[in-house]
Amino acid sequence: MKLFNYHYDFIKFKLYNVNSSLINWDVLKPHKTLNNHYSLVSNGRFFDKNFDLFIDGGQNITIRSSIPYLIYGHNFKAFDALDLLKAMKSLSDILGIDLTEAKLIELEFGAYQKIENSSKDYINSLIGLQDYRLEKSTSSMKMFGNTKGLHLKIYDPIINAKRKKTFSLSQYPNECLIKYEIKDLKPTHLKVEDLCLPKTFISFNKKLNTHLDHLLIRSDDRYLPIDASINHILFATLKNVEQELGVPIYAKTVDLLEKMELSPSQKK
């Protein structure tokens, strides 16, 4: 089934050497426990709790926010490059500083999918992602990651929304849903202004779908042993593995035999 509501989600970005006198401190409130951290006071323009600003001793500013959550209070909504540009201009205006030149530190990009079965059954059927390792697994979520700082998270968004107490705002349909998110922990080549370009949004759209194409999903066994001998059991097992993983068992076997010091009759 097709994905829908593609969107930028959580982003973390950094501005260097900011002239702090330009900041509109009236819209920022010091955090109760964290030094040099500030929350937003927008008087209803934004959902302020979804924002954190940190300023270090070098006058560098780091902002963390889920932009759809900041604008709408939830992320069950399409949110593309132009939506992000509009949000960033509005946020820049209220803060008094231009955020578009900020360097991207972390990014999440996601989309939804309607599924026929329960999310629990679907998540349980996910057995791997090509070239990634399993990092987290629960009944409602799995996350895979690689050494390049890329992660794919698959989870039940309705359970997540109820946990975050945003379910009523999200207005989810009464259907089985799955949320997919790419989490990029090393988007060092991007600035906020790059995310506001349609071509960048399209690129992340394609990247997400490519990840889904490489998901390994458990399916019902197609092959059963003809009898209880170990040869038939192993053969049926290998054929079922071939079905699930797309690995050509016959080709792998022939390749292995070619590497062994066997006579032609033994290979045959």
Side-chain angles (χ1 to χ4, degrees):
M1 295 184 182
K2 291 184 178 181
L3 303 187
F4 66 100
N5 279 359
Y6 289 91
H7 60 266
Y8 289 122
D9 199 342
F10 175 84
I11 60 173
K12 179 180 178 182
F13 52 93
K14 191 169 185 176
L15 275 170
Y16 295 89
N17 301 315
V18 177
N19 183 348
S20 59
S21 66
L22 298 176
I23 300 174
N24 181 12
W25 293 101
D26 292 337
V27 299
L28 295 171
K29 180 174 66 175
H31 194 278
K32 293 180 180 179
T33 56
L34 299 176
N35 293 331
N36 301 320
H37 281 262
Y38 299 84
S39 57
L40 197 61
V41 184
S42 67
N43 296 319
R45 290 181 62 182
F46 301 104
F47 287 84
D48 296 339
K49 67 177 183 178
N50 300 292
F51 176 92
D52 174 76
L53 181 148
F54 169 71
I55 183 166
D56 62 28
Q59 299 298 97
N60 305 312
I61 287 178
T62 302
I63 292 176
R64 302 167 67 254
S65 178
S66 169
I67 303 302
Y69 272 94
L70 184 67
I71 304 299
Y72 302 109
H74 65 89
N75 64 359
F76 186 56
K77 193 172 182 67
F79 198 85
D80 63 14
L82 297 180
D83 293 320
L84 182 64
L85 178 61
K86 182 179 178 181
M88 283 299 165
K89 285 184 175 180
S90 181
L91 196 56
S92 294
D93 288 343
I94 196 173
L95 290 173
I97 50 176
D98 184 7
L99 302 178
T100 58
E101 281 291 321
K103 179 182 177 182
L104 207 61
I105 306 298
E106 187 176 329
L107 166 71
E108 289 180 356
F109 182 90
Y112 293 84
Q113 183 184 45
K114 295 177 182 178
I115 57 174
E116 295 180 354
N117 301 320
S118 72
S119 62
K120 183 177 180 180
D121 289 342
Y122 175 73
I123 290 169
N124 185 55
S125 74
L126 301 176
I127 58 177
L129 177 62
Q130 194 173 46
D131 299 327
Y132 282 58
R133 66 183 183 278
L134 179 63
E135 294 182 327
K136 294 181 181 178
S137 179
T138 70
S139 61
S140 61
M141 181 272 289
K142 278 187 179 176
M143 186 164 77
F144 304 93
N146 67 13
T147 57
K148 298 178 181 179
L150 278 175
H151 306 263
L152 179 67
K153 184 177 178 182
I154 307 107
Y155 64 94
D156 184 323
I158 295 177
I159 291 177
N160 185 63
K162 289 180 178 179
R163 180 178 60 83
K164 290 183 175 181
K165 298 181 180 179
T166 61
F167 180 77
S168 58
L169 282 171
S170 306
Q171 296 183 332
Y172 284 106
N174 294 322
E175 299 178 76
C176 297
L177 287 177
I178 283 291
K179 174 79 184 294
Y180 300 96
E181 286 179 357
I182 288 179
K183 181 189 288 286
D184 191 345
L185 300 180
K186 298 179 181 179
T188 53
H189 61 293
L190 291 173
K191 292 182 178 180
V192 168
E193 63 182 356
D194 296 319
L195 293 187
C196 298
L197 299 174
K199 66 178 183 180
T200 309
F201 184 83
I202 292 171
S203 175
F204 275 103
N205 185 311
K206 291 179 179 178
K207 182 181 290 188
L208 179 58
N209 279 279
T210 298
H211 276 72
L212 301 195
D213 289 341
H214 292 157
L215 272 174
L216 305 176
I217 302 175
R218 182 185 296 110
S219 57
D220 294 335
D221 289 337
R222 181 183 299 176
Y223 301 95
L224 297 175
I226 295 174
D227 61 39
S229 71
I230 188 64
N231 284 343
H232 283 286
I233 292 171
L234 287 176
F235 179 76
T237 300
L238 287 172
K239 292 300 292 181
N240 286 318
V241 169
E242 180 179 66
Q243 175 191 335
E244 285 193 6
L245 306 186
V247 178
I249 299 298
Y250 178 80
K252 284 283 186 182
T253 304
V254 171
D255 183 58
L256 183 61
L257 288 174
E258 289 298 327
K259 295 175 181 178
M260 299 176 67
E261 296 182 359
L262 298 173
S263 68
S265 61
Q266 286 175 314
K267 289 180 181 179
K268 185 177 179 181

